[in-house]
Amino acid sequence: MVFPVFSGDVLSDLLGVILKFSDLYLRASRAISINNGKVRIMDHEVDDFYVIAIGKGSIGMARAIEDMAYDKIIDGIAVVPKGTPGNLRKIRILESTHPLPTEASINAGMKILDLVSNVGSGDYVLFLISGGGSALVEVPIKLKP
């Protein structure tokens, strides 16, 4: 089979567009801003908030939110595949498994439930999801005997 060969600016431009739109750090940072001490997340204005990020791109998304609104984050968790490089300053990183769920996935799900149990009426949670979240975070249904 013969594949076409591209060269020149068209291919570079196309690759640049693809990479730009797949950069979850960039996309998350564009969704948040701070004006006069208030956080604006898309069309919502909040004082402070919780962060939950799950998926293979969660560390980039969570880092963007920390960079934009560090002082406004109450607490947070980012669930990443085991071995994902990177660090966060305020949002806790939990390693889990992908593509198959394991005990680590259940642990991550339980930690998220624990975090949201502290969320009160009127509090805000920014929930960031990228691919892989369905294996990284699990909460099993308890079956009655």
Side-chain angles (χ1 to χ4, degrees), residues 53-126:
I54 66 170
K56 293 177 276 183
S58 63
I59 200 157
M61 295 184 296
R63 184 177 297 117
I65 301 306
E66 279 191 346
D67 288 350
M68 298 296 293
Y70 179 85
D71 292 335
K72 300 297 185 173
I73 298 170
I74 300 166
D75 194 4
I77 292 175
V79 183
V80 303
K82 285 186 190 263
T84 298
N87 56 31
L88 298 169
R89 296 170 289 152
K90 193 169 198 175
I91 298 169
R92 294 172 279 148
I93 297 174
L94 298 177
E95 288 190 336
S96 187
T97 55
H98 185 273
L100 298 174
T102 63
E103 288 294 321
S105 309
I106 294 170
N107 180 54
M110 300 309 285
K111 296 276 186 184
I112 289 172
L113 286 178
D114 187 49
L115 183 139
V116 297
S117 72
N118 295 317
V119 175
S121 177
D123 287 342
Y124 291 90
V125 177
L126 177 60

